[in-house]
Amino acid sequence: MRSTRFPLLAGAEVTLTLVTVAAVLSLGRLFDDGSWRRPLVAAAIAAHLAAAVLRRLRIPLVLIAVLHLGLGLLVLGWIHARDTTRSLLPTRETFDVLQAETSDSVEMFRDAIAPTDPATGYLILATIAIWVLVLLADLAAFWVRSAFEAVVPSVSIVVFVSVFGVAEDRWSLLTLYLLAIVAFVSMHRVSQQLVSAVWLGRQGRATAALLRGAAGVTAVAAVLGLGLAPTVPAAEEALISLDEDSGVGGGTRVVISPLVDLRGRLVDQADVEAFTVRSTERSYWRLTALDTFDGSVWTSRANYSTAEGALPAEVESGNSTELVRQAFVITGLDAVWLPTAFQPVSVSTESEVELSWEPVSSTLIVGSGRRSSNELAYTVESAVPRFTPEQLAEAPNLTSEELEPFLELPRDFSAGATALATQLTDGLTSPYAQALALQFYFRDNFDYDVEVGSGHSSDRIDDFLASGRGYCEQFAGSFAAMARAIGLPTRVAVGFTPGDVDPADPTLFTVRGEHAHAWPEVFISGAGWVAFEPTPGRGAPGAFEYTQVPEQQDTSGPSTTPTTLEPGLEDQFPAIDPDNPLTQQEAIDRAPLDDLAAGQAGGGGPSPFVWFLVSVVGVVLVAMAAVSTVKRLRRRQRIARVSGNRATILAAWEDAVARLAVVGSRWDPTETPMEFATRVEKALSFGGSVQRLAHTATAALFSPGQPSDAMVTAATAAADQVAAYVRERSTALDRLREEVDPRPLLGSGQRASRVSGL
């Protein structure tokens, strides 16, 4: 039995390692190169090797967990900060480097869009996660002896990748992962069933159960990886579904919302050239407009059709327009969108690339045959509206059924933001005046700051209003949501400011990531969609006459100079105290938001490694207390269950087996009670009491009738002698170690129950 068991155990360990490695390989959907594979795969293999070696040392489980996590810290330094170690041991510099890299990556993660650069900090966090998950998988597989629970830790990696990763190689990586699961479940079932044969002579009938278990685990993994991941809220927060007519390939594809991508372009891709454009007129180069706000994110409900020459508009501008011709060359936009000046009326390209058009949002994209618009050259003609304040001020506040989607807000939208919008526009009757009031409030009282966290949810709006700091994502999203709260049909436009003009050619503009921008558009009856600019330091070309904001694209910092209205417009707006725009009661209601903002601004706090170590210690202490409690409860239950001479004798045997573990004598499931007793007597000289008890327990188990009272007396006496011997030969630390050792609950206790028939 022993010669058969250990190769099978090693096989189960190897196949479990393959499961983890297959899950780790799925991380390729997150990164844009393969430099991450060697360190992370090495970490996975090392973690499983460490778990296997520590398990074979037959030390308490708590100590195994502590040692395994300690080895993880060593491996972390060897892999990611080897130059700072000394004699392969980490130094203070090692932890400083790991902490700095991790902190940077935590900030980067907020705005990272897959596939992204495999930064060292990401790999450090991944290594920590892999090491902990491997420990959990090993405990589940070889202590709890559950193949299903052993697979769950690696499923968490696959689910994470399903949420944040790109679709490329999804099926091949998932197939590899499922095959590894089937191999592990099969090997684990065979090894455990052979071990379970024990001394009663039952042979493991593994085949049917093995196949059922493998199929079940495979199905569960598939459901978790493919079915549940898309339903995770984070999986939808950054995505837009684009429905395309069959003329462009048909079907639906899901893309990253350009609003979510903004901060990444502004910060991480500031110097990356997105495109060049030749135009006689400067403009905001618009990608799309987002019209749906669910309280978490702005997205669009777009239905595209083939773009061929003329581009029909859903809403024509009611003001005068100027025809502007632009020639674009996309270089590094890395998105499906095609920038244009608003409102495009025709498009042409010399290539055979198919284009798609969505008239409601006036959005142009490449057809489904291309993943991005990179390397595409095209020409657009746009009818750029020229609004006047007089025309806009005279427009009534009229809405229609078609505009209702642009007024929708979640039921739980911020009451504070609604109250503020209502106060700011109190007494104003025209949509134009109301929109200007919101615009001036943000420009005159808020600071532009790309260092704040990304996001534009309802909670993020409250944080933004409390802190007074944000960048265009928060300015545009907050303006649009608050405008809807007072009845203005609104959407969020995303695109770029004009860019840098070529000194040798005033019609040629180079647009980079730092020029990425978002702004709100308000529908005003008789005029159509009108752009406003609430973001300090930004101003649309050609819009000064009605926005009173000069053209600006300050990429180094905001302009916080208060906006000055032209004579004649001041009377349209009530006096608002910028230092206290809310009533006293509203300020009291918003106090928790102010406290939250102050706490976020403070920063600092313990490092990730301090929290990690504190968490580990806390988990260990809780686990120790839980194990001790469960053991005490089981003892009471066992005593309460004892009825009859046979049960009494076998309970005495189980109690002796548990006590012998305190002095290091653990029962191997391949041994009979007599074999175990002989081994213990030879090693520790218990005066024959263990052998007498083993003999009595075996006789009681196989006795056709109830054992005699004399056998009960002999068993009880032998058990008492074993208890006395153990007390003499053990220390308080030995007894504490055994008290918090969960192995009797997970393994030994179960084996004792099988042997005793209880």
Side-chain angles (χ1 to χ4, degrees):
M1 177 69 71
R2 191 181 297 270
S3 62
T4 304
R5 176 193 174 199
F6 287 103
L8 289 174
L9 176 62
E13 291 170 334
V14 169
T15 50
L16 181 59
T17 303
L18 293 178
V19 170
T20 303
V21 169
V24 169
L25 290 176
S26 69
L27 294 173
R29 294 170 55 193
L30 301 177
F31 301 123
D32 57 12
D33 64 50
S35 60
W36 58 274
R37 290 192 185 93
R38 181 177 296 179
L40 295 190
V41 171
I45 295 174
H48 277 286
L49 182 62
V53 171
L54 291 173
R55 186 169 9 93
R56 283 168 168 76
L57 294 179
R58 296 179 177 274
I59 57 179
L61 181 57
V62 173
L63 185 56
I64 287 179
V66 172
L67 291 177
H68 190 272
L69 295 176
L71 288 173
L73 292 178
L74 294 179
V75 171
L76 201 63
W78 298 340
I79 293 178
H80 301 294
R82 186 179 305 173
D83 295 341
T84 65
T85 60
R86 183 176 303 165
S87 300
L88 298 181
L89 296 177
T91 63
R92 176 62 182 271
E93 184 183 0
T94 303
F95 290 103
D96 289 342
V97 169
L98 295 175
Q99 177 183 338
E101 294 285 358
T102 303
S103 300
D104 290 344
S105 292
V106 169
E107 293 296 323
M108 292 166 56
F109 178 76
R110 297 175 180 174
D111 307 290
I113 301 296
T116 187
D117 178 64
T120 301
Y122 290 153
L123 302 188
I124 292 172
L125 293 173
T127 301
I128 294 174
I130 290 169
W131 203 269
V132 173
L133 293 175
V134 165
L135 175 60
L136 297 176
D138 191 86
L139 295 178
F142 305 111
W143 290 79
V144 181
R145 302 179 184 276
S146 170
F148 171 78
E149 292 171 347
V151 170
V152 170
S154 63
V155 169
S156 65
I157 299 176
V158 176
V159 170
F160 180 86
V161 172
S162 298
V163 170
F164 294 103
V166 297
E168 187 175 359
D169 297 329
R170 177 179 61 183
W171 293 111
S172 59
L173 291 170
L174 182 61
T175 300
L176 177 65
Y177 176 65
L178 294 178
L179 289 174
I181 289 178
V182 171
F184 163 67
V185 171
S186 303
M187 185 62 70
H188 185 271
R189 278 295 183 92
V190 171
S191 64
Q192 295 306 310
Q193 288 195 359
L194 285 178
V195 169
S196 299
V198 280
W199 60 288
L200 292 180
R202 297 192 304 268
Q203 297 299 317
R205 295 182 292 274
T207 305
L210 182 153
L211 293 176
R212 289 195 300 270
V217 173
T218 300
V220 170
V223 168
L224 288 174
L226 298 177
L228 297 183
T231 68
V232 179
E236 298 178 354
E237 287 189 359
L239 305 180
I240 294 178
S241 295
L242 307 181
D243 296 322
E244 299 182 70
D245 289 349
S246 58
V248 197
T252 300
R253 54 175 164 167
V254 180
V255 299
I256 297 296
S257 167
L259 190 57
V260 174
D261 196 27
L262 262 180
R263 189 173 184 273
R265 292 188 185 275
L266 289 168
V267 178
D268 302 326
Q269 304 177 41
D271 296 328
V272 176
E273 181 182 293
F275 57 88
T276 62
V277 54
R278 188 179 298 278
S279 174
T280 56
E281 295 289 336
R282 302 167 66 88
S283 177
Y284 275 3
W285 313 117
R286 188 174 177 277
L287 298 180
T288 188
L290 309 174
D291 56 25
T292 303
F293 183 58
D294 63 2
S296 298
V297 67
W298 284 90
T299 57
S300 63
R301 34 191 157 205
N303 198 333
Y304 289 82
S305 58
T306 303
E308 297 178 352
L311 303 173
E314 188 79 11
V315 178
E316 299 286 351
S317 174
N319 291 53
S320 61
T321 60
E322 179 180 350
L323 193 64
V324 177
R325 185 181 180 88
Q326 315 121 65
F328 289 87
V329 177
I330 309 300
T331 50
L333 185 58
D334 290 332
V336 299
W337 323 101
L338 296 172
T340 69
F342 184 76
Q343 179 170 344
V345 295
S346 69
V347 62
S348 62
T349 176
E350 296 181 359
S351 66
E352 297 182 356
V353 175
E354 293 179 312
L355 307 181
S356 296
W357 169 250
E358 204 285 312
V360 176
S361 61
S362 297
T363 302
L364 196 64
I365 65 172
V366 292
S368 58
R370 289 176 62 104
R371 295 183 58 184
S372 77
S373 57
N374 286 1
E375 302 180 2
L376 181 63
Y378 61 98
T379 301
V380 175
E381 288 187 337
S382 301
V384 179
R386 300 304 185 194
F387 302 111
T388 64
E390 293 78 15
Q391 293 171 320
L392 296 177
E394 294 173 357
N397 188 4
L398 299 178
T399 59
S400 63
E401 184 178 348
E402 291 76 13
L403 292 174
E404 289 181 359
F406 301 97
L407 291 168
E408 292 177 355
L409 284 172
R411 291 184 177 180
D412 58 350
F413 179 68
S414 169
T418 301
L420 175 59
T422 302
Q423 181 186 353
L424 293 173
T425 57
D426 183 34
L428 304 178
T429 57
S430 77
Y432 173 55
Q434 292 172 336
L436 278 182
L438 291 176
Q439 173 186 278
F440 294 152
Y441 172 70
F442 286 117
R443 292 188 66 86
D444 296 348
N445 298 285
F446 285 67
D447 293 325
Y448 184 88
D449 186 359
V450 296
E451 297 302 320
V452 302
S454 61
H456 45 272
S457 65
S458 295
D459 291 340
R460 190 68 186 87
I461 290 174
D462 285 334
D463 294 342
F464 171 59
L465 295 176
S467 66
R469 309 186 69 83
Y471 60 99
C472 55
E473 178 183 354
Q474 285 86 41
F475 281 98
S478 300
F479 179 107
M482 292 170 64
R484 288 190 175 190
I486 58 172
L488 297 181
T490 319
R491 62 190 187 186
V492 175
V494 185
F496 294 82
T497 56
D500 296 332
V501 65
D502 188 331
D505 185 351
T507 67
L508 182 62
F509 301 88
T510 299
V511 182
R512 297 187 298 275
E514 64 181 343
H515 300 121
H517 190 43
W519 61 94
E521 294 178 343
V522 178
F523 186 88
I524 297 180
S525 180
W529 288 104
V530 182
F532 288 85
E533 186 50 272
T535 304
R538 307 294 185 271
F544 173 76
E545 185 176 2
Y546 77 91
T547 63
Q548 300 298 296
V549 176
E551 179 183 345
Q552 297 172 297
Q553 60 168 11
D554 188 353
T555 57
S556 60
S559 172
T560 56
T561 303
T563 304
T564 301
L565 301 181
E566 282 193 344
L569 290 179
E570 296 95 330
D571 296 338
Q572 298 188 40
F573 304 98
I576 298 174
D577 182 0
D579 296 326
N580 186 24
L582 302 177
T583 65
Q584 181 177 7
Q585 184 57 48
E586 289 165 346
I588 293 174
D589 294 340
R590 288 185 47 75
L593 293 175
D594 298 331
D595 295 340
L596 175 61
Q600 291 175 336
S607 70
F609 285 99
V610 172
W611 283 118
F612 174 72
L613 293 176
V614 170
S615 300
V616 169
V617 173
V619 169
V620 169
L621 292 177
V622 171
M624 291 169 63
V627 168
S628 177
T629 301
V630 172
K631 281 187 172 183
R632 292 176 184 273
L633 290 175
R634 283 200 174 184
R635 291 190 197 111
R636 292 177 183 176
Q637 292 174 352
R638 188 171 64 244
I639 294 172
R641 283 202 312 265
V642 172
S643 176
N645 290 350
R646 177 181 287 107
T648 302
I649 293 171
L650 296 179
W653 165 252
E654 288 190 11
D655 184 66
V657 168
R659 292 181 183 278
L660 288 169
V662 175
V663 289
S665 295
R666 297 186 180 277
W667 184 31
D668 191 300
T670 62
E671 297 175 307
T672 66
M674 288 303 301
E675 290 173 340
F676 170 60
T678 301
R679 176 167 61 84
V680 171
E681 292 286 358
K682 182 182 295 185
L684 299 176
S685 299
F686 273 72
S689 57
V690 180
Q691 289 177 317
R692 289 194 296 274
L693 180 56
H695 182 272
T696 304
T698 303
L701 182 63
F702 290 102
S703 174
Q706 281 290 337
S708 65
D709 293 342
M711 293 176 65
V712 172
T713 302
T716 303
D720 290 342
Q721 291 175 352
V722 170
Y725 276 113
V726 169
R727 283 195 296 271
E728 293 175 2
R729 303 183 185 193
S730 62
T731 64
L733 180 60
D734 291 331
R735 291 189 288 274
L736 174 63
R737 182 176 57 193
E738 183 60 27
E739 181 69 19
V740 299
D741 186 354
R743 282 183 292 183
L745 300 179
L746 305 178
S748 300
Q750 295 173 357
R751 290 192 295 268
S753 295
R754 285 198 300 269
V755 170
S756 65
L758 294 177

Short mmCIF file of all heavy atoms in Angstrom, two decimals, residues 8-9 19 71-72 164 203 220 240 250 326 340 418 422 446 469 559 571 609 627 666 677 680 688:
data_model
loop_
_atom_site.label_atom_id
_atom_site.label_comp_id
_atom_site.label_asym_id
_atom_site.label_seq_id
_atom_site.Cartn_x
_atom_site.Cartn_y
_atom_site.Cartn_z
N LEU A 8 1.25 8.04 -6.25
CA LEU A 8 -0.03 8.66 -6.55
C LEU A 8 -0.16 10.02 -5.88
O LEU A 8 -0.70 10.97 -6.44
CB LEU A 8 -1.17 7.75 -6.11
CG LEU A 8 -1.36 6.49 -6.95
CD1 LEU A 8 -2.41 5.59 -6.33
CD2 LEU A 8 -1.76 6.86 -8.37
N LEU A 9 0.35 10.13 -4.63
CA LEU A 9 0.33 11.41 -3.95
C LEU A 9 1.16 12.43 -4.71
O LEU A 9 0.74 13.58 -4.91
CB LEU A 9 0.87 11.25 -2.52
CG LEU A 9 1.00 12.54 -1.71
CD1 LEU A 9 -0.36 13.20 -1.53
CD2 LEU A 9 1.66 12.26 -0.35
N VAL A 19 -2.58 22.81 -12.47
CA VAL A 19 -3.79 23.62 -12.40
C VAL A 19 -3.44 25.08 -12.11
O VAL A 19 -3.93 26.01 -12.76
CB VAL A 19 -4.76 23.07 -11.33
CG1 VAL A 19 -5.91 24.05 -11.09
CG2 VAL A 19 -5.30 21.72 -11.75
N LEU A 71 8.48 31.68 3.73
CA LEU A 71 9.22 31.34 2.51
C LEU A 71 8.74 32.19 1.33
O LEU A 71 9.53 32.54 0.45
CB LEU A 71 9.05 29.86 2.20
CG LEU A 71 9.78 28.88 3.13
CD1 LEU A 71 9.38 27.44 2.79
CD2 LEU A 71 11.29 29.05 2.99
N GLY A 72 7.44 32.51 1.35
CA GLY A 72 6.92 33.36 0.28
C GLY A 72 7.58 34.72 0.26
O GLY A 72 7.87 35.27 -0.81
N PHE A 164 -11.18 41.48 -16.11
CA PHE A 164 -10.35 42.60 -16.53
C PHE A 164 -9.55 42.36 -17.80
O PHE A 164 -9.01 43.30 -18.37
CB PHE A 164 -9.37 42.97 -15.39
CG PHE A 164 -10.05 43.50 -14.17
CD1 PHE A 164 -10.22 42.71 -13.05
CD2 PHE A 164 -10.54 44.79 -14.12
CE1 PHE A 164 -10.85 43.19 -11.91
CE2 PHE A 164 -11.16 45.29 -13.00
CZ PHE A 164 -11.32 44.48 -11.88
N GLN A 203 -11.72 -2.25 -1.08
CA GLN A 203 -10.96 -1.80 -2.24
C GLN A 203 -11.63 -0.56 -2.81
O GLN A 203 -12.84 -0.46 -2.88
CB GLN A 203 -10.93 -2.90 -3.32
CG GLN A 203 -10.21 -4.16 -2.88
CD GLN A 203 -8.75 -3.89 -2.54
OE1 GLN A 203 -8.07 -3.18 -3.26
NE2 GLN A 203 -8.28 -4.45 -1.45
N VAL A 220 -18.23 23.25 -12.98
CA VAL A 220 -18.23 24.38 -12.04
C VAL A 220 -17.21 25.43 -12.46
O VAL A 220 -17.47 26.64 -12.45
CB VAL A 220 -17.95 23.89 -10.61
CG1 VAL A 220 -17.69 25.07 -9.68
CG2 VAL A 220 -19.12 23.06 -10.11
N ILE A 240 -18.59 49.03 -23.36
CA ILE A 240 -19.69 49.50 -24.19
C ILE A 240 -19.96 48.44 -25.24
O ILE A 240 -19.04 47.92 -25.87
CB ILE A 240 -19.33 50.83 -24.88
CG1 ILE A 240 -19.17 51.95 -23.84
CG2 ILE A 240 -20.40 51.22 -25.89
CD1 ILE A 240 -18.76 53.27 -24.45
N GLY A 250 -21.71 42.42 -38.88
CA GLY A 250 -22.78 41.93 -38.04
C GLY A 250 -22.34 41.66 -36.62
O GLY A 250 -21.18 41.65 -36.28
N GLN A 326 -11.53 68.10 -42.53
CA GLN A 326 -10.40 67.62 -41.73
C GLN A 326 -9.85 66.34 -42.36
O GLN A 326 -10.63 65.50 -42.83
CB GLN A 326 -10.83 67.30 -40.30
CG GLN A 326 -11.71 68.37 -39.65
CD GLN A 326 -13.05 67.80 -39.24
OE1 GLN A 326 -13.11 66.94 -38.37
NE2 GLN A 326 -14.12 68.27 -39.86
N THR A 340 -13.60 63.23 -34.96
CA THR A 340 -14.11 64.20 -35.93
C THR A 340 -14.44 65.49 -35.19
O THR A 340 -14.59 65.50 -33.97
CB THR A 340 -15.40 63.72 -36.62
OG1 THR A 340 -16.46 63.70 -35.68
CG2 THR A 340 -15.22 62.33 -37.23
N THR A 418 -28.20 66.77 -6.19
CA THR A 418 -29.45 67.31 -6.71
C THR A 418 -29.80 68.63 -6.04
O THR A 418 -30.21 69.60 -6.71
CB THR A 418 -30.59 66.29 -6.50
OG1 THR A 418 -30.27 65.07 -7.18
CG2 THR A 418 -31.90 66.83 -7.03
N THR A 422 -30.08 72.30 -7.86
CA THR A 422 -31.31 73.08 -7.73
C THR A 422 -31.03 74.48 -7.20
O THR A 422 -31.58 75.48 -7.68
CB THR A 422 -32.31 72.35 -6.81
OG1 THR A 422 -32.58 71.06 -7.35
CG2 THR A 422 -33.61 73.14 -6.69
N PHE A 446 -13.61 75.01 -8.33
CA PHE A 446 -12.93 73.72 -8.30
C PHE A 446 -11.56 73.82 -8.94
O PHE A 446 -11.30 74.70 -9.77
CB PHE A 446 -13.77 72.67 -9.04
CG PHE A 446 -14.99 72.21 -8.28
CD1 PHE A 446 -16.05 73.08 -8.04
CD2 PHE A 446 -15.08 70.91 -7.81
CE1 PHE A 446 -17.17 72.66 -7.34
CE2 PHE A 446 -16.20 70.48 -7.11
CZ PHE A 446 -17.24 71.37 -6.88
N ARG A 469 -11.80 68.92 -6.13
CA ARG A 469 -10.66 68.63 -7.00
C ARG A 469 -11.00 67.45 -7.91
O ARG A 469 -11.64 66.49 -7.49
CB ARG A 469 -9.41 68.31 -6.20
CG ARG A 469 -9.05 69.32 -5.14
CD ARG A 469 -7.72 69.02 -4.49
NE ARG A 469 -6.62 69.24 -5.42
CZ ARG A 469 -6.07 70.43 -5.66
NH1 ARG A 469 -6.52 71.50 -5.04
NH2 ARG A 469 -5.08 70.55 -6.50
N SER A 559 -6.30 76.79 -15.18
CA SER A 559 -6.48 78.21 -14.97
C SER A 559 -7.60 78.37 -13.98
O SER A 559 -8.74 77.98 -14.23
CB SER A 559 -6.84 78.92 -16.29
OG SER A 559 -7.20 80.25 -16.04
N ASP A 571 -26.93 89.75 -15.10
CA ASP A 571 -28.24 89.79 -14.46
C ASP A 571 -29.00 88.47 -14.57
O ASP A 571 -30.00 88.27 -13.89
CB ASP A 571 -29.09 90.91 -15.10
CG ASP A 571 -28.47 92.29 -14.84
OD1 ASP A 571 -27.69 92.40 -13.87
OD2 ASP A 571 -28.79 93.21 -15.60
N PHE A 609 2.74 45.86 3.18
CA PHE A 609 3.38 44.71 3.82
C PHE A 609 3.04 44.63 5.30
O PHE A 609 2.89 43.55 5.86
CB PHE A 609 4.89 44.77 3.63
CG PHE A 609 5.31 44.41 2.25
CD1 PHE A 609 5.60 45.40 1.33
CD2 PHE A 609 5.39 43.09 1.83
CE1 PHE A 609 5.96 45.08 0.05
CE2 PHE A 609 5.75 42.77 0.55
CZ PHE A 609 6.04 43.76 -0.35
N VAL A 627 -9.99 26.23 15.94
CA VAL A 627 -9.64 24.81 16.02
C VAL A 627 -9.84 24.29 17.44
O VAL A 627 -10.42 23.22 17.66
CB VAL A 627 -8.18 24.59 15.55
CG1 VAL A 627 -7.72 23.18 15.90
CG2 VAL A 627 -8.07 24.82 14.06
N ARG A 666 1.76 9.93 15.69
CA ARG A 666 0.52 10.05 14.91
C ARG A 666 0.26 8.75 14.17
O ARG A 666 1.17 8.12 13.64
CB ARG A 666 0.61 11.22 13.94
CG ARG A 666 0.76 12.56 14.64
CD ARG A 666 0.68 13.71 13.66
NE ARG A 666 0.84 14.97 14.37
CZ ARG A 666 -0.14 15.62 15.00
NH1 ARG A 666 -1.36 15.08 15.01
NH2 ARG A 666 0.08 16.74 15.62
N ALA A 677 0.30 0.53 17.59
CA ALA A 677 0.65 0.36 19.00
C ALA A 677 2.05 -0.19 19.16
O ALA A 677 2.81 0.23 20.04
CB ALA A 677 -0.37 -0.56 19.69
N VAL A 680 4.55 2.59 18.55
CA VAL A 680 4.58 3.55 19.64
C VAL A 680 5.33 2.98 20.84
O VAL A 680 6.17 3.65 21.46
CB VAL A 680 3.15 3.96 20.04
CG1 VAL A 680 3.17 4.79 21.33
CG2 VAL A 680 2.49 4.75 18.92
N GLY A 688 3.37 -1.21 27.59
CA GLY A 688 2.40 -2.14 27.03
C GLY A 688 0.97 -1.66 27.04
O GLY A 688 0.06 -2.34 26.54
#
